[in-house]
Amino acid sequence: MVINKNLEEQVIDLFYKLGFPKDLFGFIWIITPILTYTLGVTIGISVIVWLERKISAGVQQRIGPEHAGPLGIIQALADGAKLLSKEDIIPSRGDSLLFNVGPVMVVVPVFLSYLVIPLGHGIILADLDIGVFFWIAVSSVAPLGLLMAGYGSNNKYSFLGGLRAAAQSISYEIPLALCVLSVSPLSNSLSTVDIVEAQSKYGFWGWNSWRQPIGFVAFFISSLAECERLPFDLPEAEEELVAGYQTEYSGIKFGLFYVASHPNLLTSSLSATILYLGGWNSPIPFFFLPKFDRLGWNSTDETSEVISITIAIIITLAKAYSFLFISIATRWTLPRVRMDQLLDLGWKSLLPVALGNSLPTASFQLSSP
């Protein structure tokens, strides 16, 4: 904290010497972390797209993208450039306002979710006391955008896709919230940072995935349904609804729906890492050392802090992308379920299981001294 304060004072002195006003410094000091996080999320989306194409190619015994850059790593940028050059078409008899606002309502809540996700101790944009509930509340706004997009398209397939998205979100939002309610009493907090710190007390065996195995499985299934991933991609099932709420969209607006799905998947993976997999804590004792001087290394406090932050970010992303691998492999392994099976799983199976898991946890926490 002292280092950050000294750094801030040095930057302020530099701004004054260059003749810039104080208000400009305040604006830059606030906007820089936000832009950095946005850039990091954008890079993460490109990595997810590349991984999904390569993993799916491996599952199906084919090559996958390899010509757009080394190993096809810039294929996502090529697709984005292509979508930007496409014509933006609006249905003549549709509601243009809802049609244009729908994609924005889907993308913005997903990016807002990253405000409460820490990549390390203190590496977070907003450490809210109700961080996990903020994530659930913000993510629940996205299906409203899908419903607006389907209704504004004036297309029966799009409207059915929007209705399916709303029904699916309602069905799986409740079990997801109950799983979070089962985790928060274990740390006596709804802050994402406090939840990670509570898991670090007992090392690897203190992770909530061991203390809440049923909730962890229910959370994984609910997150797949929230992200509309196979086998739960019923709102845009091509065999039944052409493309669902995306049917009438083209160009960059279609790309916004595509963009929103991947950061939402990354958000769910990071949330699972924070809630159940110990966050930035590692089971390897070497990484628990707060100071590298114990190893005999000659390093300053600044160097130790930079190394600790780097290791924390690497550990968090490694866990999240391992979770992503399971989600991607599930997409190419399991068949798509029917709509009635989807709702039955949510209301008749996951909801009772999540509720039954939260009641003993709450009772145990209340009875413990």
Side-chain angles (χ1 to χ4, degrees), residues 152-336:
S153 298
N154 193 26
N155 183 303
K156 61 181 180 181
Y157 297 106
S158 301
F159 186 56
L160 285 175
L163 289 177
R164 284 188 173 194
Q168 181 171 323
S169 175
I170 294 172
S171 300
Y172 286 89
E173 197 75 41
I174 300 175
L176 198 69
L178 289 175
C179 292
V180 173
L181 282 177
S182 301
V183 170
S184 57
L186 299 178
S187 57
N188 296 319
S189 176
L190 290 173
S191 170
T192 52
V193 176
D194 292 341
I195 291 175
V196 176
E197 293 293 342
Q199 297 178 72
S200 65
K201 296 179 180 178
Y202 309 103
F204 175 69
W205 298 109
W207 292 1
N208 290 329
S209 58
W210 305 112
R211 304 162 73 186
Q212 288 284 326
I214 298 177
F216 179 55
V217 175
F219 184 91
F220 173 67
I221 298 174
S222 300
S223 63
L224 285 181
E226 276 292 306
C227 298
E228 298 173 7
R229 301 282 298 181
L230 271 167
F232 306 115
D233 65 333
L234 275 300
E236 66 270 15
E238 294 87 353
E239 292 85 353
E240 304 174 28
L241 298 175
V242 183
Y245 50 83
Q246 305 173 3
T247 303
E248 299 295 335
Y249 282 89
S250 62
I252 189 59
K253 291 178 183 176
F254 174 80
L256 287 177
F257 287 116
Y258 187 74
V259 165
S261 63
H262 288 89
N264 197 16
L265 182 62
L266 180 59
T267 305
S268 299
S269 301
L270 287 170
S271 299
T273 301
I274 298 302
L275 296 175
Y276 292 97
L277 302 180
W280 57 85
N281 298 306
S282 172
I284 304 175
F286 171 81
F287 292 124
F288 283 119
L289 295 174
K291 299 294 183 181
F292 291 90
D293 294 334
R294 297 182 181 179
L295 299 177
W297 295 358
N298 295 323
S299 60
T300 62
D301 292 339
E302 292 83 356
T303 305
S304 300
E305 184 175 357
V306 171
I307 295 176
S308 300
I309 290 174
T310 304
I311 292 176
I313 294 176
I314 291 174
I315 292 174
T316 304
L317 293 180
K319 293 179 182 179
Y321 277 93
S322 300
F323 197 81
L324 272 171
F325 176 81
I326 299 176
S327 302
I328 295 172
T330 303
R331 173 179 181 178
W332 300 102
T333 305
L334 300 179
R336 179 182 289 128

Side-chain angles (χ1 to χ4, degrees), residues 46-90:
S46 302
V47 174
I48 293 174
V49 174
W50 181 79
L51 279 177
E52 183 158 15
R53 287 174 170 173
K54 282 296 185 180
I55 293 172
S56 62
V59 172
Q60 299 171 351
Q61 295 183 350
R62 55 187 177 84
I63 299 175
E66 60 176 354
H67 297 293
L71 301 176
I73 58 177
I74 61 173
Q75 183 63 50
L77 297 178
D79 294 338
K82 180 184 71 174
L83 290 174
L84 284 172
S85 63
K86 294 290 184 180
E87 182 181 1
D88 183 20
I89 301 175
I90 300 177

Side-chain angles (χ1 to χ4, degrees), residues 99-118:
F99 188 83
N100 293 325
V101 173
V104 179
M105 290 286 292
V106 175
V107 174
V108 172
V110 176
F111 279 87
L112 287 177
S113 302
Y114 288 92
L115 292 174
V116 295
I117 296 179

